Structure formats: C-alpha cells, structure tokens
Amino acid sequence: MIEVVNPTTEEVVGTVRAGTAGDVDTAVTRAVAAFPGWAATSVADRLAVVRAVADGLAARADELASTMTAEMGTPITFASKVQVPNPIGIVRGIETTLSSGYFDGEEIGNSLVLREPVGVVAAITPWNFPLQQMVAKVVPALAAGNTVVLKPSELAPFTADLLSEVLHGAGVPEGVFSLVHGTGPVVGEALAAHPMVDMVSFTGSTRAGRRVSALAAETVKRVTLELGGKSANVVLDDADLTRAVKIGVANAFMNNGQACSAWTRLLVPADRHDEALEVAAAAAAKYEPGDPALTTT
C-alpha cells in the first residue's frame, strides 16, 4: 500500500494500493480490446461524453478542490479559483474543437489530411496541478478516439479517483479508460515500455523524462514530454521596478511555488540589483504560512 500524506499536517490521510507491472499489463490489454469499438464511435457520441465530463467536474468542484488541498497542500482558495476551473475550461475547449469539424479532414494543396486516433495512450502525470494535468492528457486522447491508461502521481492519487468516477459517470466504457496507481519506477516504467502502448505522454522531471523516452524508444512509441524548467522574469530598464518585482514575487509564490510557470528567476539591470532585492524581500515577507484549508490563507 502507498500512504498518502497531508503535507500541511504530515498526517496520513489515506492509502492506495501500489500497482504492479501485472496491473499495467491487465489495463493495457483491456485498452487494446476496447480500442476498435471506441475509435469507431461517432464524433457526436464522443462529444456527448466530453460535455458530460465537463458537467461532472463542475458538479463536484468543491470536493475536487478540498481533495487537492488535503493531498498536495494548495490553498483552498487557489484550488477553487484555479485548480478546478482551469481543467473545466480545458474540457469546454475540447468541446469546441470537436464541434468545429476537427475530424472532417482537411485539404492542403494536393494532400488530404485525416485525423485518426493513435491507439492506446499512457498518461503519466505530476502532483502539483493534479486535475489539470490529468484532464489535459486524458480527455483530448479520449475525445480523439484513443483508449487511455493513467498513472497519476502517488502523492496526489485521490484526485485521480474522483476524475475516474467522473469519466465513467459520463459514459466512458470499461476498458476505454483505466487508472493504475503506483510509483514511477514500477508502474510508470511498465507503461513506457509496454509493447502494446502506442503513445506515452509524460509530465515531470527531466531525469524521469529521459528514462521514459529511452524505454519508449525500444518500441518506437510516440512520446510527448513536458519536463522541468526555470521560468525567467526579465525586468527591462524602462519598467516600473517596484511593481514588476512585486508581481514577480507573487508569481513565484503561486500554488506554493509548485508550478513550472512560477517566475523563479528574476533578472534585473545590474545597477538596480540592490533596489530589486529590497523590494523582493519586503514583498516576500508579507506572505505568512497558514492552514491551506482556510479561505483566509
């Protein structure tokens, strides 16, 4: 079993079963069997499922927000205003794409471009924006007619359980979507290496991304990697330095600083270094640690 720890209280808030390579093989085998039927469904039918997913997420918004706060520590206000609405917006955008004739084919010069599902997609997601990362991988893949096996972060697995319930409640058939909890070295590697997985989409560290890419290359899978980085905040000579630095610090503290898009490198003109440092220190001092379950935090 994997213990799930609330990072605020350091208390165990629940457990999930650690998946094995055998569990991955079972899920992938079911996905392979379900693929022909799901790929053959009409765009209208898949569109109906996507709409139901958006509605299902909206209906459980409060539960999703509080679950993320408990298992990965994001403030409940940020969870309610960003961590849940963003994924719902992504699903609504997929609705628009499906409705716009995306799969009708497109003539470019003398060529006819047809968009078809890839097959079985493995999605491996991180813990910092758990719902958004899962939705951004799983729902477009399903909408395109693929079947999906998801391995969420073992640090934030309960949000994945809720998403799974929403997906099946929206009409996603058994086998079309499967969820396998577990660690990267076991479940993640088994998915990346599985010969019947056609594509793997991974978000996480550069080190882990190299491993996923190497394993996937053995079977020449399609691979999508979103890896680590440090976002630069460049303040030019003519900027309002005080305002720019304050905004930069606010972005660095977003989601407790647990974001790939956090502005964690502040680059300022050398002759204003000391001034920028003073403003940044004063801005950071105004952020007080608190219970993320409280709306005042």
Side-chain angles (χ1 to χ4, degrees):
M1 303 299 291
I2 295 174
E3 292 185 339
V4 182
V5 176
N6 181 322
T8 303
T9 63
E10 297 186 340
E11 295 176 344
V12 175
V13 293
T15 60
V16 293
R17 194 175 73 84
T20 65
D23 295 324
V24 169
D25 187 62
T26 298
V28 172
T29 300
R30 294 176 67 207
V32 170
F35 173 69
W38 181 246
T41 58
S42 68
V43 173
D45 287 344
R46 296 201 299 271
L47 177 58
V49 169
V50 170
R51 285 177 175 149
V53 170
D55 293 341
L57 292 174
R60 302 183 72 169
D62 291 343
E63 185 181 9
L64 286 161
S66 61
T67 297
M68 284 184 277
T69 295
E71 66 184 1
M72 52 75 62
T74 190
I76 188 65
T77 301
F78 188 81
S80 300
K81 293 183 177 180
V82 177
Q83 292 266 21
V84 177
N86 279 9
I88 294 174
I90 289 170
V91 181
R92 295 299 186 194
I94 296 165
E95 282 185 54
T96 301
T97 300
L98 284 179
S99 302
S100 66
Y102 184 76
F103 289 98
D104 292 343
E106 180 181 2
E107 291 188 12
I108 302 177
N110 294 324
S111 300
L112 175 63
V113 177
L114 299 176
R115 298 183 173 94
E116 299 176 342
V118 171
V120 178
V121 176
I124 304 173
T125 58
W127 51 268
N128 60 333
F129 281 82
L131 184 63
Q132 180 169 320
Q133 288 287 341
M134 290 185 289
V135 164
K137 294 184 190 298
V138 171
V139 179
L142 293 175
N146 302 288
T147 53
V148 180
V149 180
L150 168 67
K151 190 213 89 69
S153 169
E154 65 272 24
L155 300 177
F158 299 136
T159 303
D161 289 340
L162 294 177
L163 174 61
S164 181
E165 291 174 9
V166 168
L167 290 170
H168 289 301
V172 176
E174 292 293 326
V176 171
F177 170 81
S178 293
L179 169 64
V180 183
H181 288 300
T183 64
V186 177
V187 174
E189 292 203 5
L191 280 169
H194 201 288
M196 290 191 292
V197 169
D198 300 290
M199 178 176 180
V200 58
S201 178
F202 171 82
T203 298
S205 71
T206 301
R207 177 188 57 79
R210 290 193 189 102
R211 180 63 177 162
V212 167
S213 186
L215 290 170
E218 292 296 322
T219 50
V220 199
K221 289 178 174 57
R222 299 186 187 207
V223 178
T224 298
L225 302 175
E226 181 192 4
L227 308 180
K230 294 292 283 182
S231 300
N233 177 18
V234 183
V235 181
L236 302 182
D237 290 316
D238 60 347
D240 180 336
L241 185 74
T242 299
R243 180 168 179 265
V245 171
K246 286 182 178 179
I247 292 173
V249 170
N251 274 273
F253 274 79
M254 178 185 65
N255 198 41
N256 302 350
Q258 298 161 166
C260 58
S261 57
W263 296 353
T264 47
R265 286 190 295 147
L266 176 61
L267 306 180
V268 301
D271 60 356
R272 304 194 71 180
H273 169 274
D274 293 347
E275 181 184 356
L277 191 63
E278 184 178 345
V279 173
K286 294 180 180 180
Y287 288 85
E288 296 183 6
D291 183 349
L294 301 177
T295 57
T296 52
T297 301

